[in-house]
Amino acid sequence: MECLFCNIIKGDIPSYKVYEDETAYAFLDINPCSKGHTVVVPKTHYENFTEMPAEEAAGLFATVRMIARLVEDAVSADGSNIGLNNKPAAGQAVPHVHVHIIPRFEGDGGGSMHSIVSIPGAGDDLEEMAELLVME
Ligand code: AMP
Ligand code: ZN
């Protein structure tokens, strides 16, 4: 078994477990961005979020919501960033789906989702983009 997070789920690699049920496992990030930074992983190995079956993805996010409430309360956070890096181009380092819950505190100096990337010209033709993306 080569996957780091599969090994954590199995208990072969130690982790600070926050929560576990039949489908998901949550643990503290070893290199936290803020106090309480937690990652939530599906127990079934999927490399990335967009390859997950819709039902499992929905279940994962229900679990993420529950844990985010728990974590925010536990560390008295004022909010949190909740999201995932999907595939290596987006910064995904571990190829097993994981959702980050990063507690945030008023005045902590951090940024928002908008600080991840800013490509010049990205908004040049929103009409054309909408036509490309729209689902009938
Ligand atoms: P990503 O860059 O989205 O793939 O995030 C991978 C995350 O896993 C990083 O935030 C790492 O700090 C975290 N991580 C890597 N190894 C471990 C580990 N053994 N235990 C807990 N978290 C880990
Ligand atoms: Zn895995």
Side-chain angles (χ1 to χ4, degrees):
M1 182 70 77
E2 293 299 316
C3 174
L4 173 63
F5 287 173
C6 282
N7 279 315
I8 285 179
I9 292 163
K10 280 199 303 170
D12 289 350
I13 290 176
S15 68
Y16 291 100
K17 182 168 87 173
V18 169
Y19 175 81
E20 180 175 17
D21 62 23
E22 296 96 77
T23 59
Y25 189 91
F27 53 101
L28 292 181
D29 195 292
I30 204 168
N31 187 22
C33 296
S34 68
K35 275 198 187 309
H37 182 169
T38 298
V39 285
V40 186
V41 305
K43 283 191 170 174
T44 303
H45 178 96
Y46 296 106
E47 266 197 25
N48 57 64
F49 179 68
T50 39
E51 80 171 18
M52 282 187 83
E55 263 186 31
E56 290 182 48
L60 178 65
F61 266 85
T63 305
V64 166
R65 172 188 173 277
M66 185 266 293
I67 296 171
R69 291 167 68 114
L70 181 152
V71 170
E72 282 191 8
D73 276 0
V75 300
S76 300
D78 300 307
S80 52
N81 293 104
I82 298 168
L84 53 89
N85 300 316
N86 198 47
K87 304 180 186 176
Q92 183 178 357
V94 178
H96 179 131
V97 177
H98 51 284
V99 181
H100 294 264
I101 299 169
I102 302 174
R104 296 296 302 274
F105 304 88
E106 295 291 353
D108 64 13
S112 74
M113 200 73 85
H114 298 283
S115 55
I116 292 173
V117 69
S118 185
I119 297 173
D124 281 356
D125 198 338
L126 294 182
E127 195 174 333
E128 193 183 357
M129 185 55 60
E131 281 167 19
L132 181 70
L133 297 183
V134 74
M135 292 195 285
E136 300 298 343

